[in-house]
Amino acid sequence: MHAARDVRIETVPDAGIKEATDALIRVTRACICGSDLWPYNGQDFRGYPLPMGHEAIGVVEAVGSEVRTLKKGDVVVMPFAFSDGTCAFCHEGLHTSCRQGGFFGSLDVGGAQAEALRVPQADGTLFALPVGEDDALMPSLLTLSDVMGTGHHAAVVAKAGPGRTAAVIGDGAVGLCGVIAAKRLGAERIILLGRHADRIALAREFGATDVVSERGDEAVERVMDITGGMGVHSVLECVGTDQAVATAVGLARPGGAVGRVGVPHYDTIPSSLPAFFKNVTVGGGPAPVRAYINDLLPDVMEGRIEPGRVFDRAVDLSGVPEGYRAMNDRDAIKVMVRP
Amino acid sequence: MHAARDVRIETVPDAGIKEATDALIRVTRACICGSDLWPYNGQDFRGYPLPMGHEAIGVVEAVGSEVRTLKKGDVVVMPFAFSDGTCAFCHEGLHTSCRQGGFFGSLDVGGAQAEALRVPQADGTLFALPVGEDDALMPSLLTLSDVMGTGHHAAVVAKAGPGRTAAVIGDGAVGLCGVIAAKRLGAERIILLGRHADRIALAREFGATDVVSERGDEAVERVMDITGGMGVHSVLECVGTDQAVATAVGLARPGGAVGRVGVPHYDTIPSSLPAFFKNVTVGGGPAPVRAYINDLLPDVMEGRIEPGRVFDRAVDLSGVPEGYRAMNDRDAIKVMVRP
C-alpha cells in the first residue's frame, strides 16, 4: 500500500530464510483485515509504503537451521504476530508481548498478501494443522490467525460467561467472531450493535439474541431497555473509535468489563468518570491468538463453531485492490486471498 | 464546607430517623479524608455548601421500625456509602452500586464530621463491631469505613498476589493502606511512589520493599530499572490525577492491571494506546468497603494488620478546620475526629 486507496501488486525480491529461527512459507490463504482499512483510509500511525497482510495459512517450504518443530510440507496457521514461545510473556499466554516478537505487515518482515513470506521465530509462531492444504475447513482455520482469536480475546477480557449478558460493538468480522466467542463461553444474552443486514443475519445465526442499530447515547438507551436498566456484564469493543469506547462504557453494567480489541484510533479512553463510578474495567489489546489456537481448534475441527462463514468473497492476488474496495464499501464482510 | 478553604462548625437541626429503614448514630470517631481535600481546594464537581465527612464509627441511638439487625447501643462501623444489602449489586459484593444506595457527605444525608448522623438503609449499611466504643483497636477499625477497604479494593482490582510485583502510586492514607493490602494478598515486591519521609517510613513498616520519589516518566524509568525492564503486575492508583493514571499505565507490565481508587479529576484515561498494546487492564472505582469488612475485620481484630497507624493526629469538632489545613499542607497523614 503506497498511500491511502493506493494498493498495488508488485514483484519484490523472493522471501527467504534470513535467521536460523525463520521458516519460509508458501501462502495458500491470506485475508484482508478490517484493521487494513485504517491505512487504506489514511488513518494510520505507521508510514507508507506498507507491505500488507498479517493473516495466513501456508505450507512450509524451508526452515532455518535452528527450527525444531516444523518441516517442509507442514500446513500451518500463522498468527498475526510472531513470538518465540519461550519468553516470560509467551509462558503467560501473552504472545503479543513476546520479548522477541513483532507484527507482520511491516517493511522488515513483509506482508501475507503475497505468494510467500518469511516467518521469524517459526517454532514459536506457526501452528501445524492436522489437515491438507485444501481442506474444506480452511476458511474457519484461517480465522484462527486473527479474527476468531481476536473476538475470543474480547470475550475473555470482557468475562463473557454463563449467567451473563454481553454486547458486541461492531458487525465486522471480529464483531461476528465475538458473537461466536461470547456464545461459546456461555453468555446467555448477546446483543449485537450493528447496522448491516447481511452481517446482522449472520450474527443471529452465530448466536446474537438482540440487535441494536442505533449508535452513541441512543444505543445505550436501547440496551438499557433490553436489560431492565442494568446494562450488560460484558462489552466486546470491536471497532476502535472513541465513540465506540464511550458507548462500551455506557453499555456496561456496574462491575462490568469492556474487552477492547479494535485498534484504538483515539488517544484516551473516554467516559472515565462513569467508568469509575460504575467500577467498570476496561481491558484488551492485541489478542494472543497463538495461545488461543489450542482452545479453539478442536471446536473448529469438530464443526462446533464456523467462523469461516465471515468470508463472503475470495480473490487472487490481482483481485486484492478490488477486495479492499469491497470491504471498505461494506460490500464484503471479509475477503479471502488465494495467491 | 462553604467554599474552598472555608470550613465552619455549625449548629444544625438534630439528625433523626426519617425513614423506617434509618438508624441514628452518635458519632464516636470520624475522619478527614484525602478526597475531602478536593472541595477544600475548590476542585470538586459538586457544589457548596457541603456537609463533610463520610467515615465513622458510632453508637446506635435509635432505629426505624423496619430495622431488624441493629439495636440501641450497638457499636457500628459506617462505610462511606450506604446500601440496602439486598439488591443484585449488593449480592454481587458491589455495594457502592446499590440501587437504593448513595454516598454520605451530601445535603440530603449529611456528613459524619458531626455529633450525630442519620444512616439510611441501616441494616444493609452498618456493621456491628464486637468491641466497646473506646476499644484500643478503634483507629484500625475506623479505617474499615473507607481507607483500608479502598486500599484493599485497589489491590484486588490490580490483582495483587503471590509471585507478583506491585506499585502503589500515592503515599496518602489510601496508598499506605494499599501497601498493607498488597502485602496481605501476598505481593512479593511492593514499590511505593511517594515523597514524604514520614509516610515512606510508615510504608516500609507496612511492607513496601522499594520507594520511588520521582514522578511521571522518571518514575516509570526507575520502576523499569527495579523490575528488569518488565514493569509491575499490579498498579494501585491512589491519587486520582491524569498524571497519576498515565504513570500507572506506564508502570504496568504487559498483561498487568491498574486498580484506580483515587476519585478521578480527569475526564479521560490517558495512555490508551500504550495500555492497548500492553494489554493492560484499567479498573476500579468507589470501593465496596461494606463487602470487604468481612474479609478485613479478623485481621484487624487479631492485630495482623494495623491500618489505624495512618492516623497521626486527632481533633475534636472545633479542631476540624485546623485538621483540614494540616492534611492539605501534608503536616498530617490522616486526621481522626472525636466529636
Side-chain angles (χ1 to χ4, degrees), chain A residues 26-52:
Chain A
R26 171 171 55 88
V27 177
T28 58
R29 301 285 191 293
C31 314
I32 301 174
C33 183
S35 66
D36 293 339
L37 299 179
W38 292 110
Y40 187 74
N41 287 297
Q43 299 168 312
D44 199 76
F45 47 85
R46 299 168 294 176
Y48 303 97
L50 280 173
M52 299 301 295

Side-chain angles (χ1 to χ4, degrees), chain A residues 92 153 253 260 272 279 282, chain B residues 92 153 253 272 279 282:
Chain A
E92 292 172 12
H153 189 52
R253 175 187 164 107
R260 57 183 184 135
S272 174
N279 264 285
V282 178
Chain B
E92 291 171 14
H153 189 51
R253 176 186 164 106
S272 175
N279 265 286
V282 179

